[in-house]
Amino acid sequence: MSLDTILQKAPDQIQEKFIKNHFPQGSHILFAGEANDFLFFLMKGKAEVYTLNRDGVMLSLNTYHALSFFGEYEIFDPKSTTASIIAKTPCDIIKLHKKDLFQWMKTDFALTLEILGHFASDVIKSHRMNTNLAQLTIQERVLVSIYSHFTIGNLHALSKQILIQEAYAPLRSVNRAIASLKKEGLIDYSNKQFIIVNKGLLEAAVNQINTL
């Protein structure tokens, strides 16, 4: 069942809670680093997920197209914060508060499947990237972890402590890996924030790892 059909078949008491917004091209739908209690359904238009490099240049991470949704990570993981999402074209949005979403999910299996399918797709992508982590060097693990957070738009939330857990390495080794990646011109790290210096070089390095 398409997302459009799911929305059209939503119970009247849920549709009454739909909040409809129009965002002109170039306007912010979400700002980075904020808490979020809403699921956003993109009905028309195209929206881009962005981050900033150390020079303040905006880098595109992902593109949402019509009849897709975003905001689910913050809803299901309260520790997560938003990425910057900007209307690449004029966008029509329906947003729904999480308490109303949860109530709707209790009665609509198609909606639940749609959301679970979205999570499953992201998990599969992440799993494929991390399947061979045990065979990688610590620097390669750190690189893959940073890139994973970059692609899903929560690089701003990545800390050295998280890297220690995801790279299965002690802090000393993680620090050496970060220093090496900085020297190679891939990333920077300052004020406890990771910054992508060269997206092209970063993707090339990750692609090379994936071909091993």
Side-chain angles (χ1 to χ4, degrees), residues 7-96:
L7 290 169
Q8 290 177 12
K9 291 186 175 182
D12 291 341
Q13 63 268 30
I14 296 297
Q15 293 198 31
E16 291 173 358
K17 301 296 179 66
F18 285 172
I19 301 173
K20 298 182 179 181
N21 296 115
H22 176 77
F23 293 88
Q25 182 176 351
S27 61
H28 269 87
I29 300 173
L30 285 172
F31 289 91
E34 297 181 339
N36 172 49
D37 290 330
F38 289 87
L39 187 65
F40 291 74
F41 299 98
L42 178 58
M43 305 308 297
K44 292 182 180 179
K46 188 183 299 183
E48 200 95 13
V49 185
Y50 286 99
T51 189
L52 297 177
N53 70 6
R54 66 178 178 179
D55 297 319
V57 177
M58 298 180 70
L59 299 176
S60 173
L61 302 180
N62 191 21
T63 302
Y64 291 108
H65 299 274
L67 300 182
S68 60
F69 59 88
F70 50 87
E72 70 281 6
Y73 284 99
E74 303 89 67
I75 289 176
F76 289 95
D77 179 12
K79 294 180 181 179
S80 294
T81 57
T82 56
S84 178
I85 300 182
I86 298 175
K88 192 171 184 180
T89 66
C91 290
D92 289 333
I93 296 282
I94 291 176
K95 66 178 186 178
L96 183 67

Side-chain angles (χ1 to χ4, degrees), residues 129-193:
M129 179 175 289
N130 294 305
T131 296
N132 297 319
L133 267 182
Q135 302 177 22
L136 303 180
T137 66
I138 291 175
Q139 180 172 321
E140 288 170 337
R141 294 178 203 168
V142 169
L143 176 62
V144 168
S145 180
I146 292 172
Y147 183 73
S148 296
H149 286 273
F150 174 65
T151 56
I152 66 175
N154 72 340
L155 186 62
H156 55 278
L158 181 61
S159 65
K160 285 187 178 181
Q161 189 60 41
I162 293 175
L163 271 182
I164 288 170
Q165 297 171 357
E166 294 185 356
Y168 304 101
L171 178 60
R172 181 181 299 178
S173 298
V174 167
N175 282 334
R176 281 200 297 263
I178 292 171
S180 180
L181 293 173
K182 288 175 63 176
K183 187 175 181 180
E184 293 176 18
L186 300 178
I187 67 166
D188 195 7
Y189 181 78
S190 61
N191 298 321
K192 297 184 179 181
Q193 291 288 313

